[in-house]
Amino acid sequence: MKRRTALKLGVAAAAGLAAPRLALASDVVTIGAVAPKTGPLAGGSNVSHWPNIKLWSTQVNEAGGLNVGGTRKMVEVVEYDDQTNPGETIKAVQRLATQDKADFIVAPYGTGLNIAAAPLFDRYGYPQIAVTAITDQIDSLSSKFPGMFFTLGSTTAFASDVVNVLSKMRDEGTLTGNRIAMVNVADAFGIELAAAGRPLFEKAGFDIVYDTSYPLGTQDLSPVVKAAKAANPNAFIAWSYPPDTFGLTEQAVIEDLKVEAYYTAVATSFPAFGGRFAAAAEGILGAGGVNPDSEAFKAYAAAHEAVTGAKPDYWASATTYSSLQVLQQAIEAAGLDRDAVKEHIRSHSFDTILGDMSFKTHNNNEKYWTVGQWQDGVFHGVASTGRDGAKPVRVKHGWS
């Protein structure tokens, strides 16, 4: 499904309909976007991905457009739903490049879809700021696809910080044993994290007493949680995507899974997660985080809600918006030549709402949040590589 959104002064076309062109083609910069609006990853994409494209493009156009070589050009967004299907992602990227003639394309949503699309981004010369991809293949991918950039870090970095958080809890006596139950979604994201986590947990002296995977889109996760509970763990770790993050936590509440540390990955940072589980969310650890007390994040969150009608999440939303700030600053510095934009991204630092961001080592941003925790109704970052404002970790005290 294609949606052409010609944005000017915050006015967007209705879904599924072609909007009237608000300017001549020479006066616009066409931005392509493909990500799930349906399928298993739609819940995450509709929180972290699409609203930030809307916010950024609205703000750019309200400011008069992108400054390209001294000329203001309005942003026009062309959207496709890939239905959480790599084949559809590939077809959409190809269509954006060859038929829609997009000047730039926002990277897809999720690790697997980004990796699937990388050859096409490279073939057509587009920079791919793979904002929601977490992988240990950063070095090899950036070597093979020099225009591919990463914002959220590597699989090993994420798994390492989860291990470090639990190790510190154990040292402090708030985690009273070494028994870990670990589960993962059988997608590139979850498979890589589980593979990275196993040796790291074992090296740190933890005993993985339950270890299983489940297919992406699994509806009934009660057997997973029941089996994890039966293993009598001290901590529960799930390398999960949004539907299963909610589903596993639903079952953990039902089963009264008694652990001192409970971690789920993507979507733990969503406001809807805190809203759904309320007091039960207190103490839950999850992927990412932000410093919600920073003035930059507060201003961004207020703008996000004003434009989209929804609150941003406490992790990938701000990073997605920051990646669009990077793209904007690179375009305004280097123009519409995509090779020049890629080189500018590779060689410069960028001012974003998360602070400075740069990609000078293997096209990888080296400052990012890794672990967050729900504390007093807010998801605070508790571990990062180089970001300020981390909170001390708290023990998980029950489900009410």
Side-chain angles (χ1 to χ4, degrees):
M1 176 181 173
K2 173 182 174 182
R3 177 181 177 182
R4 181 177 292 273
T5 310
L7 289 161
K8 186 173 184 179
L9 300 179
V11 179
L17 299 178
R21 296 299 295 264
L22 299 180
L24 298 174
S26 60
D27 295 328
V28 302
V29 175
T30 302
I31 304 291
V34 51
K37 295 188 177 186
T38 57
L41 294 186
S45 182
N46 288 330
V47 171
S48 303
H49 185 85
W50 293 115
N52 283 288
I53 294 174
K54 180 178 180 179
L55 172 60
W56 173 77
S57 56
T58 298
Q59 289 180 325
V60 167
N61 287 338
E62 286 181 340
L66 292 171
N67 184 351
V68 182
T71 300
R72 289 285 180 179
K73 293 179 178 284
M74 307 302 285
V75 166
E76 182 182 59
V77 179
V78 181
E79 302 176 359
Y80 289 96
D81 174 16
D82 65 17
Q83 305 163 43
T84 318
N85 182 328
E88 293 300 318
T89 308
I90 290 168
K91 286 194 292 186
V93 171
Q94 183 139 19
R95 181 166 183 170
L96 284 164
T98 62
Q99 296 184 38
D100 298 309
K101 305 295 184 183
D103 294 297
F104 296 92
I105 303 175
V106 179
Y109 178 84
T111 301
L113 299 180
N114 266 285
I115 292 174
L120 278 182
F121 273 80
D122 182 68
R123 179 187 305 172
Y124 293 111
Y126 289 98
Q128 181 182 2
I129 306 177
V131 63
T132 52
I134 298 174
T135 178
D136 273 346
Q137 301 178 60
I138 288 175
D139 290 3
S140 61
L141 285 169
S142 62
S143 295
K144 187 175 183 180
F145 308 119
M148 194 175 190
F149 302 90
F150 299 86
T151 65
L152 294 181
S154 69
T155 303
T156 295
F158 257 74
S160 293
D161 271 7
V162 173
V163 174
N164 292 340
V165 165
L166 296 190
S167 296
K168 186 176 180 181
M169 292 179 69
R170 184 182 56 190
D171 292 345
E172 293 172 346
T174 54
L175 187 66
T176 58
N178 295 318
R179 297 169 65 84
I180 304 290
M182 186 176 75
V183 306
N184 68 276
V185 61
D187 180 82
F189 170 83
I191 292 168
E192 275 202 36
L193 278 162
R198 290 185 190 100
L200 291 169
F201 277 121
E202 291 170 4
K203 183 178 180 181
F206 289 101
D207 182 15
I208 301 176
V209 295
Y210 180 67
D211 186 353
T212 194
S213 66
Y214 52 86
L216 179 65
T218 298
Q219 298 295 311
D220 182 10
L221 290 162
S222 58
V224 174
V225 176
K226 286 178 184 291
K229 181 179 179 180
N232 192 31
N234 302 101
F236 176 86
I237 305 297
W239 309 115
S240 54
Y241 264 150
D244 24 309
T245 292
F246 279 81
L248 289 165
T249 307
E250 292 271 7
Q251 292 303 315
V253 173
I254 292 169
E255 294 295 329
D256 191 23
L257 178 64
K258 295 186 184 301
V259 289
E260 294 153 332
Y262 177 91
Y263 172 100
T264 45
V266 183
T268 313
S269 63
F270 288 6
F273 185 92
R276 167 63 186 87
F277 296 107
E282 185 69 15
I284 288 180
L285 296 161
V290 293
N291 177 4
D293 298 326
S294 77
E295 293 304 317
F297 181 81
K298 289 178 182 178
Y300 155 73
H304 187 287
E305 189 166 7
V307 171
T308 71
K311 296 180 184 296
D313 72 57
Y314 293 101
W315 177 36
S317 283
T319 311
T320 299
Y321 183 84
S322 293
S323 75
L324 294 167
Q325 290 183 300
V326 169
L327 180 62
Q328 177 180 351
Q329 290 170 36
I331 291 171
E332 294 190 332
L336 298 182
D337 182 297
R338 292 193 283 268
D339 287 338
V341 167
K342 286 185 285 188
E343 180 55 35
H344 191 85
I345 294 172
R346 190 177 299 112
S347 59
H348 287 75
S349 295
F350 300 88
D351 183 21
T352 77
I353 58 167
L354 293 176
D356 68 290
M357 188 176 285
S358 64
F359 304 86
K360 297 177 182 179
T361 304
H362 300 292
N363 290 7
N364 184 29
N365 166 44
E366 296 183 345
K367 294 182 180 181
Y368 49 88
W369 290 95
T370 52
V371 186
Q373 185 177 46
W374 282 97
Q375 298 182 3
D376 304 321
V378 177
F379 192 77
H380 289 271
V382 296
S384 75
T385 63
R387 293 296 181 204
D388 296 327
K391 296 278 189 180
V393 177
R394 298 179 184 178
V395 69
K396 173 71 176 158
H397 291 296
W399 296 98
S400 60

